[in-house]
Amino acid sequence: MSVARIDRRFADLKAQNKSAFIAYIMAGDPDLETTFEILKGLPAAGADIIELGFPFSDPMAEGPTIQRAAERSLAAGTKLRDVFMLVKRFRELDQDTPIILMGYMNPVEFLGYERFAQTAAEAGADGLIVVDCPPEEADALTDALDANDIALIRLATPTTDASRLRTIVKRTRGFIYYVSVAGVTGVKAVDADAIADQVVRVREAANLPVAVGFGIRTPESAASVARIADAAVVGSALVDEIAALAQTKNLPENNPNRTNVLEKAAILANAVHSARLAEQV
Amino acid sequence: MSDPVLRNSYSQPDAKGRFGQFGGLYVPETLMPLVLELTQAWHDAKNDETFWAEYHSLMTHFVGRPSPLYFAERMTEYFGGAKIYFKREELNHTGAHKINNCIGQILLAKRMGRTRIIAETGAGQHGVASATVCARFDLPCTVYMGATDVERQKPNVFRMQLLGTTVSPVTNGQGTLKDAMNEALRDWVTNVHDTYYMIGTAAGMHPYPEMVREFQTVIGKETRTQILEREGRLPDAVIACVGGGSNAIGMFHPFIDYDTVKLVGVEAAGHGLDVYNGHASSLNGGRPGVLHGNRTYLLQDDDGQILEGHSISAGLDYPGIGPEHAYLFDTGRARYVTTTDEEALAAFALTCKLEGIIPALESSHAIARVGELAKEVGKGGIVVLNLSGRGDKDIATVAKHMGETGASLLS
């Protein structure tokens, strides 16, 4: 199912001339039940694909927002097995929305590639992004993921030239993640006009959908990306809302701020989904 | 055996930066083109005689090399075993071995046309060395330093500032070396177009472990020449402290091919190896994993999260170790022992009193194990200890500890 679930989602959206809205949240931020409540609500809020971060103590490519999210998650005691359990619970409710796990190499190494891939597949995850695993180091991990039908999604960046791009697209499945700015997550703002050519170049090289992320915080920037890319990824802007939620003491199901997270997601999703329609009018 | 021919069968790392299963290149994709360019530039420089001529000229006239090989007569008598020599890296300009690496890397940064330098530092010795070469070569420099370390190494913070460097305190995590390294990597990924990252130890992603080693092997090469002059033969053992492990690999490397020379690394055992998250012994108390660009031994919990670790010495307070040490540990070519905070403090005091030398707390970890090693080697034998840095920066830490323990160190 797994890679096919991603492919089918992109194919459906393409048929509607829509770009996908990908929502990123950190598992266990601020606790597992809150994450589950948000996960449950994301598809209805318009998330086409969910990126679920698994926390790491040393997230070297993240800006302050996602760093804090990982700290909150670890402080709440989140373990990798809890992240898989969240996926499993979500998958019991939703068989169509792809879930991409996103994190760093050491927790994957610690569990072992085979076990990680197998457990993720059994839970119902569809893809994996490992921020600090370039193609040069990825062969054994890719073998394990392929065997379990999980897509290894690679990143291309503004520093990627044509020859590097050929290396990156090999063995990538599902989609390619284009990092729109040189930097950490959630700090610099994306300039959609400046990256339009790059997105085309990456799509042609990979023959896969291209998702753009790292600098999208507003409905306007989400829409501008949706016009040029197959998906727009929003993380820090949603996690900011979760950070606000984390400061309150209410139980997740009673917490009015949870609605804020999903409302923010709905606004961004709407901007993404209507971007090309507005263009046609 | 007056002058054994320098042998050369050891050829780690391989082309992918691997020392056996360790090392490699685990960085975000944004950095990959940059790191590959650095690898190429380093390869070119390594084979360029003019590069090394400039390096050696600066080593002689700016750093003050060769550093002396000093017979520690009273310490030898005190322990009653093999002769103990100190390789006096603490007499280098800036007071530690760190400058050897910084001279090499600043020449490479210039060669690559980089206009801005960043570095991480723990104890502040690498920060000071970086600030020094940046002043000398007129490049702006930002040093990331954990907020905890800024507090416990104030003199070095002020030295860096005097030299024109911006010291950026890092409050993430526990505010120590690993957090400083994370923040330096975030800066690098954001400023890829003009910035050179001057890593201070023989760790991190390829080509740093090999490159830093090559700049530090001046220690072992000089030692070899000097001991042959003094004693007419190679030592029976060399010993050095290991945090990231650059002073140790610089001493070990020229001797790896000589099986008669024991290689001994000393890790920081902090409060004790049996105290959870209370030590910084990655080899003796960790397991292999991936952090900061390479696979190596790491302190980590039961879910692959990195532990902070602890050592009284800021320079050893790091949860990883250079990948070549991981390789030498696994193959058994080098032996790695440990020293607690208390033992390091006692060795610090002993060296002050016996030899009139105030050693860095980092180096004191090696000194704490040199007596046993001298006895193991026995009378008639030779042991060389790498005295990697001077201890002026540590006197506040030591004074604080003496206050807490009723000045027992002076008894």
Side-chain angles (χ1 to χ4, degrees):
Chain A
M1 184 61 202
S2 294
V3 178
R5 184 150 39 212
I6 301 171
D7 295 344
R8 197 175 62 198
R9 179 53 45 109
F10 276 108
D12 288 351
L13 288 162
K14 191 175 180 185
Q16 302 169 53
N17 189 31
K18 280 183 184 169
S19 185
F21 171 58
I22 303 183
Y24 170 97
I25 58 173
M26 172 68 74
D29 170 29
D31 56 65
L32 293 164
E33 282 316 301
T34 304
T35 302
F36 183 62
E37 291 296 321
I38 295 169
L39 271 181
K40 269 198 313 193
L42 277 173
D48 302 301
I49 296 173
I50 297 169
E51 273 180 28
L52 185 62
F54 51 96
F56 182 48
S57 52
D58 294 82
M60 65 173 171
E62 313 298 344
T65 300
I66 309 289
Q67 286 176 44
R68 297 287 109 78
E71 282 171 19
R72 285 190 297 270
S73 173
L74 291 172
T78 306
K79 304 284 183 191
L80 201 48
R81 62 176 174 273
D82 302 322
V83 181
F84 292 130
M85 187 53 71
L86 278 175
V87 176
K88 194 174 158 72
R89 289 171 68 193
F90 175 82
R91 193 51 80 219
E92 284 164 5
L93 305 173
D94 183 316
Q95 285 80 51
D96 301 318
T97 308
I99 291 218
I100 314 296
L101 296 170
M102 182 166 185
Y104 288 78
M105 196 62 173
N106 198 54
V108 180
E109 288 261 338
F110 195 92
L111 194 59
Y113 300 155
E114 263 306 319
R115 249 184 95 195
F116 186 98
Q118 209 179 331
T119 317
E122 282 166 11
D126 309 294
L128 174 67
I129 300 173
V130 186
V131 177
D132 56 346
C133 185
E136 281 80 351
E137 304 289 356
D139 278 343
L141 175 61
T142 318
D143 290 344
L145 293 170
D146 282 350
N148 289 280
D149 195 24
I150 301 241
L152 181 69
I153 291 148
R154 294 238 170 93
L155 298 95
T157 78
T159 60
T160 304
D161 65 16
S163 96
R164 181 79 196 151
L165 192 53
R166 283 194 291 278
T167 307
I168 292 169
V169 300
K170 265 183 227 156
R171 304 196 73 179
T172 293
R173 303 168 75 191
F175 61 94
I176 293 261
Y177 191 130
Y178 183 73
V179 175
S180 63
V181 295
V184 295
T185 47
V187 177
K188 291 181 184 171
V190 63
D191 179 352
D193 291 342
I195 60 166
D197 291 348
Q198 296 263 64
V199 170
V200 171
R201 198 165 57 88
V202 173
R203 190 187 290 122
E204 279 171 358
N207 200 23
L208 283 172
V210 178
V212 169
F214 263 49
I216 307 172
R217 280 188 163 272
T218 63
E220 293 73 30
S221 63
S224 68
V225 167
R227 283 183 206 110
I228 59 160
D230 304 293
V233 188
V234 179
S236 296
L238 294 177
V239 173
D240 278 342
E241 296 293 337
I242 295 173
L245 180 153
Q247 289 178 340
T248 65
K249 301 267 186 239
N250 294 335
L251 292 170
E253 62 270 25
N254 303 327
N255 195 319
N257 289 326
R258 180 166 63 81
T259 324
N260 294 357
V261 179
L262 294 175
E263 273 174 9
K264 180 81 159 246
I267 293 166
L268 291 156
N270 186 49
V272 169
H273 292 149
S274 58
R276 296 187 195 164
L277 305 175
E279 200 175 44
Q280 285 161 3
V281 172
Chain B
M1 186 161 136
S2 60
D3 187 5
V5 178
L6 193 54
R7 274 175 284 176
N8 187 19
S9 74
Y10 175 85
S11 63
Q12 303 287 338
D14 66 16
K16 290 184 76 181
R18 293 269 175 189
F19 303 86
Q21 63 155 314
F22 301 105
L25 188 45
Y26 296 87
V27 298
E29 186 57 40
T30 307
L31 289 178
M32 281 302 295
L34 203 67
V35 173
L36 295 173
E37 184 193 347
L38 174 65
T39 303
Q40 186 59 49
W42 157 240
H43 182 78
D44 294 345
K46 193 167 61 171
N47 296 307
D48 182 351
E49 283 176 21
T50 63
F51 177 82
W52 290 107
E54 193 173 3
Y55 169 84
H56 286 297
S57 173
L58 285 160
M59 282 291 148
T60 303
H61 303 292
F62 188 64
V63 176
R65 302 203 71 96
S67 66
L69 185 70
Y70 162 75
F71 174 45
E73 194 173 354
R74 291 194 62 209
M75 193 168 278
T76 299
E77 277 172 27
Y78 181 86
F79 288 119
K83 279 174 134 177
I84 298 170
Y85 281 87
F86 290 168
K87 178 62 174 164
R88 302 285 306 271
E89 288 298 299
E90 102 281 11
L91 293 178
N92 293 338
H93 180 38
T94 73
H97 70 290
K98 294 291 187 186
I99 190 79
N100 304 330
N101 168 44
C102 289
I103 293 284
Q105 288 203 51
I106 197 82
L107 293 177
L108 187 62
K110 285 292 237 190
R111 197 181 163 99
M112 293 177 73
R114 296 289 185 262
T115 55
R116 174 176 177 264
I117 306 292
I118 57 171
E120 84 295 332
T121 197
Q125 293 303 102
H126 174 59
V128 167
S130 300
T132 298
V133 298
C134 286
R136 168 67 182 75
F137 286 88
D138 193 23
L139 286 173
C141 179
T142 297
V143 170
Y144 290 94
M145 187 170 187
T148 305
D149 292 338
V150 167
E151 203 45 48
R152 60 179 164 176
Q153 304 286 345
K154 275 183 186 159
N156 274 344
V157 174
F158 189 56
R159 288 164 84 193
M160 285 184 263
Q161 288 166 340
L162 282 175
L163 292 159
T165 278
T166 303
V167 179
S168 185
V170 178
T171 53
N172 304 344
Q174 298 299 305
T176 59
L177 182 53
K178 102 176 158 75
D179 310 299
M181 197 151 182
N182 287 332
E183 212 52 36
L185 285 163
R186 291 182 187 120
D187 180 316
W188 202 23
V189 87
T190 307
N191 299 291
V192 278
H193 55 287
D194 64 353
T195 296
Y196 183 93
Y197 181 17
M198 191 174 281
I199 292 184
T201 191
M205 66 291 294
H206 181 60
Y208 287 98
E210 181 201 335
M211 179 167 71
V212 176
R213 177 192 78 197
E214 290 303 303
F215 294 138
Q216 292 294 1
T217 53
V218 66
I219 301 170
K221 286 173 185 162
E222 281 179 10
T223 298
R224 182 178 171 282
T225 304
Q226 289 166 323
I227 202 73
L228 288 173
E229 278 170 19
R230 296 282 289 274
E231 297 280 354
R233 68 179 184 89
L234 295 178
D236 300 293
V238 296
I239 182 168
C241 64
V242 288
S246 69
N247 94 79
I249 204 68
M251 175 60 94
F252 290 179
H253 190 258
F255 296 109
I256 289 176
D257 245 3
Y258 297 88
D259 295 340
T260 59
V261 183
K262 293 184 173 71
L263 311 176
V264 182
V266 184
E267 295 192 292
H271 300 309
L273 275 187
D274 50 349
V275 179
Y276 182 74
N277 202 13
H279 61 82
S281 303
S282 313
L283 295 174
N284 288 291
R287 54 171 284 180
V290 172
L291 179 70
H292 294 154
N294 68 126
R295 177 182 279 111
T296 187
Y297 277 81
L298 300 170
L299 302 177
Q300 45 188 323
D301 72 6
D302 59 2
D303 209 40
Q305 306 297 339
I306 308 302
L307 297 173
E308 295 286 344
H310 160 81
S311 169
I312 191 171
S313 148
L316 303 181
D317 202 352
Y318 180 71
I321 186 165
E324 192 160 14
H325 287 294
Y327 174 76
L328 294 173
F329 175 72
D330 266 17
T331 58
R333 176 59 188 96
R335 180 201 330 168
Y336 295 85
V337 296
T338 64
T339 292
T340 64
D341 289 351
E342 292 298 327
E343 291 172 321
L345 284 162
F348 177 96
L350 184 70
T351 311
C352 291
K353 285 201 289 187
L354 285 182
E355 294 293 347
I357 294 170
I358 302 176
L361 276 175
E362 288 78 15
S363 320
S364 301
H365 283 72
I367 298 168
R369 296 275 82 87
V370 78
E372 294 155 14
L373 184 60
K375 284 174 195 158
E376 177 189 325
V377 168
K379 273 194 186 298
I382 303 164
V383 172
V384 179
L385 176 138
N386 195 23
L387 194 62
S388 55
R390 70 181 184 214
D392 308 52
K393 69 187 176 58
D394 293 315
I395 53 178
T397 303
V398 174
K400 181 166 171 276
H401 194 86
M402 283 167 61
E404 284 168 3
T405 59
S408 61
L409 288 175
L410 293 183
S411 61

